[in-house]
Amino acid sequence: EERPAHQGRRLVLEQRRAHAMLALDSLAAAPGSTWLRDCGRTVFFYGLWAFLSKFATVRGLSSSQEAILEKVGFFIGFSLLISGGRKAPGAAEGIAEAAVDARASGGLLARPPGAVLAALLSGLSAAVASLYGARAMEAGEASTTSAICASYPPVTLLFSAMFLQEHITKDKVVGIVLTMLGTLFFARS
């Protein structure tokens, strides 16, 4: 027989699990949601994710610093997306305290603010892409959905050309065309 404290904890966990499932169900039932549209959104947000990761390192973060901030952005963003924007108790306060401590010690958040923001947005973009990818995977065939969702490098290339002045070579154009053709064939099947 369970003690009352264990019953209470289990009830709280069951309520949280039910809330998370309702939130995911409401995302899946969003008006105008189709697996192909969700694949397109996944491609966009993963393309944005890859661009922002690079942008953060170009602006002054090491790859380790970018990865840490990306994960912070991912988990905060994912939590907000799942909770429908309701604040998790204590989360913001803990992050704010860590930011103050890091700035005082010349640590990670003492880096250029644009780089820190890009890394956090990179994580948020990955969280959004993960949600759309999961929705698309649920509704579409795994082979088709994964191939389409993995076709984000042309998006990254375009962002990088626009904001980082990376060159678009003939080989890259051929790669974009072949990626889009492959995506078209998967989408038609």
Side-chain angles (χ1 to χ4, degrees):
E1 192 171 3
E2 288 184 315
R3 296 186 315 224
H6 289 290
Q7 289 174 340
R9 273 189 242 142
R10 185 173 358 153
L11 181 61
V12 168
L13 289 175
E14 288 174 11
Q15 289 172 339
R16 287 182 183 168
R17 187 177 313 126
H19 175 71
M21 293 309 293
L22 284 173
L24 287 174
D25 287 345
S26 70
L27 281 175
S33 174
T34 66
W35 72 271
L36 191 55
R37 184 177 298 142
D38 289 338
C39 283
R41 291 171 177 162
T42 301
V43 169
F44 174 79
F45 282 106
Y46 273 134
L48 183 60
W49 159 76
F51 161 74
L52 289 169
S53 293
K54 175 68 175 180
F55 188 79
T57 59
V58 167
R59 294 292 184 168
L61 292 183
S62 70
S63 59
S64 297
Q65 291 170 330
E66 188 282 327
I68 289 167
L69 288 171
E70 175 190 320
K71 299 315 176 244
V72 169
F74 177 91
F75 288 112
I76 290 171
F78 194 77
S79 298
L80 290 173
L81 288 168
I82 292 298
S83 71
R86 289 181 291 280
K87 182 179 146 194
E93 292 83 0
I95 292 168
E97 288 174 18
V100 170
D101 291 344
R103 286 183 188 227
S105 66
L108 181 64
L109 295 180
R111 307 299 293 177
V116 172
L117 179 62
L120 291 171
L121 290 174
S122 171
L124 175 60
S125 181
V128 172
S130 293
L131 285 175
Y132 281 121
R135 284 174 43 176
M137 191 64 78
E138 180 181 38
E141 293 181 359
S143 59
T144 303
T145 301
S146 63
I148 293 171
C149 290
S151 64
Y152 64 85
V155 176
T156 304
L157 176 66
L158 293 175
F159 276 122
S160 297
M162 288 188 300
F163 296 102
L164 299 175
Q165 286 71 48
E166 290 186 7
H167 299 287
I168 298 180
T169 64
K170 289 179 187 176
D171 286 343
K172 290 178 182 177
V173 171
V174 170
I176 287 173
V177 169
L178 292 175
T179 299
M180 294 295 106
L181 281 174
T183 301
L184 176 66
F185 281 103
F186 270 101
R188 292 178 41 179
S189 62

